[in-house]
């Protein structure tokens, strides 16, 4: 069941709430012990450490769509895919990747596979 904080987080972007619900549902079924933390700028998913985040289009580049949910995850290597809008090496061998999710079809096997890798990477730290 979604918390009030989660629901209120998407108040300014009601069209994105169903995307978040779908992502949350996929992650909860894969990782029932996962913790969710709502902050001002993002909703974070944790095992021992944060492994993925969902955020609204507060900061966006000109060439990006107007409305999307940013799904971010961390891995030990840089993923080379046209689906990755941006990636940064926050620390040596710790890459944060950002995927723009405009519709439910983007929450697919590829994205969930990367998040699963991020989950396992986070557990091993």
């Amino acid at each position: 069941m979604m918390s009030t904080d989660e629901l209120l987080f998407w108040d300014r972007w009601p069209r994105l709430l169903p995307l978040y619900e779908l992502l949350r549902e996929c992650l909860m079924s894969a990782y029932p012990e996962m913790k969710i933390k709502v902050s001002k700028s993002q909703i974070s998913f944790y095992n021992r450490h944060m492994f993925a985040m969902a955020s609204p289009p507060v900061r966006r580049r000109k060439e990006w769509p107007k409305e999307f949910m940013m799904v971010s995850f961390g891995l030990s290597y840089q993923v080379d895919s046209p689906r990755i809008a941006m990636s940064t090496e926050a620390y040596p061998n710790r890459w944060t990747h950002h995927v723009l999710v405009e519709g439910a079809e983007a929450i697919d096997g590829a994205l969930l596979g990367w998040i699963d890798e991020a989950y396992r990477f986070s557990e091993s730290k």
Side-chain angles (χ1 to χ4, degrees):
M1 179 121 162
M2 205 175 312
S3 74
T4 304
D5 286 345
E6 287 173 283
L7 289 168
L8 290 173
F9 182 87
W10 298 103
D11 250 8
R12 290 179 46 205
W13 305 276
R15 196 185 77 70
L16 300 179
L17 180 60
L19 294 177
Y20 172 73
E21 286 177 305
L22 176 60
L23 176 68
R24 183 189 193 280
E25 191 177 292
C26 291
L27 297 182
M28 285 302 289
S29 72
Y31 321 111
E33 73 291 344
M34 160 184 92
K35 303 283 184 258
I36 298 173
K37 182 181 172 195
V38 179
S39 68
K40 285 186 180 198
S41 61
Q42 68 187 27
I43 297 177
S44 305
F45 304 101
Y46 287 84
N47 47 33
R48 286 182 33 197
H49 302 282
M50 184 180 356
F51 65 91
M53 294 99 29
S55 55
V58 175
R59 280 187 263 143
R60 62 181 194 81
R61 293 185 174 173
K62 221 170 26 179
E63 66 274 12
W64 289 355
K66 186 174 181 189
E67 202 169 42
F68 59 87
M69 176 176 68
M70 176 91 69
V71 176
S72 307
F73 54 89
L75 293 173
S76 62
Y77 65 96
Q78 185 175 24
V79 173
D80 181 23
S81 167
R83 296 209 30 210
I84 306 293
M86 195 169 68
S87 60
T88 55
E89 191 174 19
Y91 300 97
N93 300 316
R94 289 195 186 170
W95 288 86
T96 302
H97 301 81
H98 307 282
V99 176
L100 309 182
V101 173
E102 292 183 81
E105 70 283 349
I107 301 172
D108 61 2
L111 179 60
L112 295 173
W114 290 325
I115 292 172
D116 188 61
E117 274 189 75
Y119 180 89
R120 286 184 275 116
F121 176 58
S122 178
E123 277 281 288
S124 71
K125 286 193 240 175

